[in-house]
Amino acid sequence: MQAITQTPLDIQKIRADFPVLDQLVNGRPLVYFDNAATTQKPRAVLDALTRYYEHDNANIHRGIHTLAERATANFEATRRAIQSFMNAGEAEEIIFTYGTTDGINLVAKTYGQTYLGPGDEIIISTLEHHSNIVPWQMLCEARGCVLKVIPINDEGELLIDEYEKLLTERTKIVSVVHVSNALGTINPIKTIIDKAHGVGAVVLIDGAQATSHIDIDVQALDCDFYVFSAHKLFGPTGMGVLYGKRAILEAMPPFRGGGEMIKEVTFEKTTYNDIPYKFEAGTPNIADVIAVKTAIDYVDALGKENIATYEHELLAYATDALQSIDGLRIVGQAKDKVSVISFVLDGIHHEDTGVILDQQGIAVRTGHHCCQPLMRRLGIAGTTRASFSVYNTTDEIDRLVKGLHRVKTMMA
């Protein structure tokens, strides 16, 4: 197996930052390999949540008292931090949502319902999570649009030549995942964006799996929308981000009605607020938004490049180790991928694999990973998925290999 080279990161110190890792599960030290579903949270993020509720708990933007002003300042500091994190042109292009799914639905319900009509075409890919399929199907049903799907090869890579054939003058939206949650495939999204813009389409990128692994520069990509969830970036659940180009956001109607998204309300007419507030109706998830800045600061302190290098070495180590197991087949062998490995064991159901691994304190994900169309394309019901983060180690991968040998013995 390929060994991990010297890393500038102190992995044991990093592990100590995550309290949840220091526990026994079924009498064994926890091995957490379900990072593609959600990452664990460092103590600094947990402290940020507590600090808000203990010291600054107040509603934002409307109050003039000290607590409200502190909460508002910290809330908006997160917006600026995310602007920098994504290299957005303006802080106003950052919209706070409740997650990736919410962001995609916002675009489908506002931009889609406003600008698409019968016969207009939407392109997605075979690799998509259900969250980037169902909202577009709903839009097609409501507006009479046509949904097209980019196919993949057996390694789990998009067929770009086939994508080019799908593009027409009727293509209005292209919405694709940056990184596959099921296979770890990194898609060539800059190429996808450029080709879509060539026919006048707007592009949404689902970055849920990308933000903790890949440096994101929305201006360099030239995407029209980019969405992600904080909980996969060491942040809290229930908070996400929609980036959109200013001109497009300003031309879209609001998603929800209520407080904050208004300038003036009469019984006869409502005048809507400017972006980003036009899309942020009601009291937001204040504490979690504030804590996201702490998560971004944590990632920045470690260094995105350092994290990516270390995780890539974990991926290489795990790939070699798992391929040594007789009867194990890795599903998804893209040339360019992040630290996600999906696999099947001959004659053993993935749920049985997951249960037996859990008995040994090893947390993996099993099932279709909210990618049922992808699983059908691959001819399987589901997989076992091990996904790695910066706090994981080669010793833990060795425990996974040992655990899988036990699975085979028990299920023989």
Side-chain angles (χ1 to χ4, degrees), residues 7-55:
T7 174
L9 300 174
D10 185 339
I11 303 304
Q12 292 307 314
K13 182 176 183 298
I14 291 171
R15 287 180 63 82
D17 290 338
F18 292 81
V20 72
L21 300 179
D22 185 21
Q23 63 174 297
L24 300 179
V25 173
N26 294 318
R28 309 286 184 86
L30 170 65
V31 172
Y32 185 78
F33 282 162
D34 196 18
N35 295 287
T38 193
T39 53
Q40 298 301 338
K41 321 308 172 193
R43 172 64 66 187
V45 170
L46 304 179
D47 289 346
L49 290 168
T50 302
R51 186 165 54 249
Y52 166 78
Y53 284 118
E54 288 185 344
H55 299 287

Side-chain angles (χ1 to χ4, degrees), residues 85-88 178 214-223 226:
F85 184 76
M86 305 178 74
N87 193 32
H178 195 159
I214 297 173
D215 195 32
I216 308 299
D217 186 333
V218 292
Q219 291 191 79
L221 292 172
D222 196 28
C223 55
Y226 197 101

Side-chain angles (χ1 to χ4, degrees), residues 146-330:
V146 177
L147 190 67
K148 294 182 173 182
V149 183
I150 308 169
I152 61 171
N153 60 24
D154 291 340
E155 285 70 43
E157 299 166 321
L158 295 184
L159 298 176
I160 298 302
D161 289 347
E162 297 300 316
Y163 165 59
E164 292 177 349
K165 296 175 185 176
L166 296 177
L167 291 166
T168 74
E169 70 279 357
R170 298 306 302 267
T171 305
K172 302 303 180 185
I173 295 175
V174 175
S175 186
V176 295
V177 68
H178 195 159
V179 171
S180 166
N181 71 298
L183 306 181
T185 304
I186 303 174
N187 287 325
I189 59 169
K190 177 59 176 170
T191 297
I192 290 169
I193 292 165
D194 289 346
K195 292 183 182 300
H197 285 169
V199 298
V202 301
V203 183
L204 182 147
I205 302 299
D206 172 357
Q209 292 296 329
T211 49
S212 64
H213 302 289
I214 297 173
D215 195 32
I216 308 299
D217 186 333
V218 292
Q219 291 191 79
L221 292 172
D222 196 28
C223 55
D224 302 289
F225 302 104
Y226 197 101
V227 294
F228 70 89
S229 298
H231 73 94
K232 298 185 180 184
L233 186 65
F234 311 112
T237 58
M239 188 270 162
V241 169
L242 163 66
Y243 157 80
K245 291 179 178 176
R246 171 182 278 277
I248 299 177
L249 292 174
E250 289 181 334
M252 290 161 50
F255 185 34
R256 299 181 179 93
E260 193 63 39
M261 51 75 68
I262 61 91
K263 279 187 175 178
E264 183 178 4
V265 175
T266 69
F267 285 119
E268 291 73 33
K269 181 177 176 60
T270 293
T271 304
Y272 302 130
N273 208 342
D274 298 327
I275 63 168
Y277 310 112
K278 180 172 74 171
F279 297 105
E280 295 178 0
T283 298
N285 199 350
I286 302 170
D288 290 347
V289 169
I290 290 171
V292 170
K293 181 179 184 299
T294 304
I296 290 174
D297 290 344
Y298 186 84
V299 170
D300 287 343
L302 295 180
K304 212 54 179 306
E305 184 176 346
N306 292 334
I307 294 172
T309 298
Y310 180 70
E311 289 179 347
H312 183 75
E313 292 186 338
L314 284 177
L315 174 65
Y317 185 94
T319 300
D320 288 346
L322 293 177
Q323 285 177 330
S324 71
I325 300 174
D326 289 340
L328 185 146
R329 176 171 64 88
I330 293 177

Side-chain angles (χ1 to χ4, degrees), residues 360-409:
Q360 301 171 74
I362 303 170
V364 295
R365 180 64 49 146
T366 62
H368 53 67
H369 315 299
C370 294
C371 294
Q372 288 179 310
L374 171 60
M375 295 298 139
R376 292 191 187 97
R377 160 61 180 85
L378 297 171
I380 54 179
T383 69
T384 302
R385 183 185 70 191
S387 48
F388 315 115
S389 187
V390 68
Y391 42 66
N392 291 128
T393 67
T394 56
D395 288 343
E396 291 181 316
I397 293 170
D398 292 341
R399 278 188 59 193
L400 173 63
V401 172
K402 183 178 179 180
L404 289 170
H405 282 296
R406 180 167 176 78
V407 171
K408 292 183 62 180
T409 298

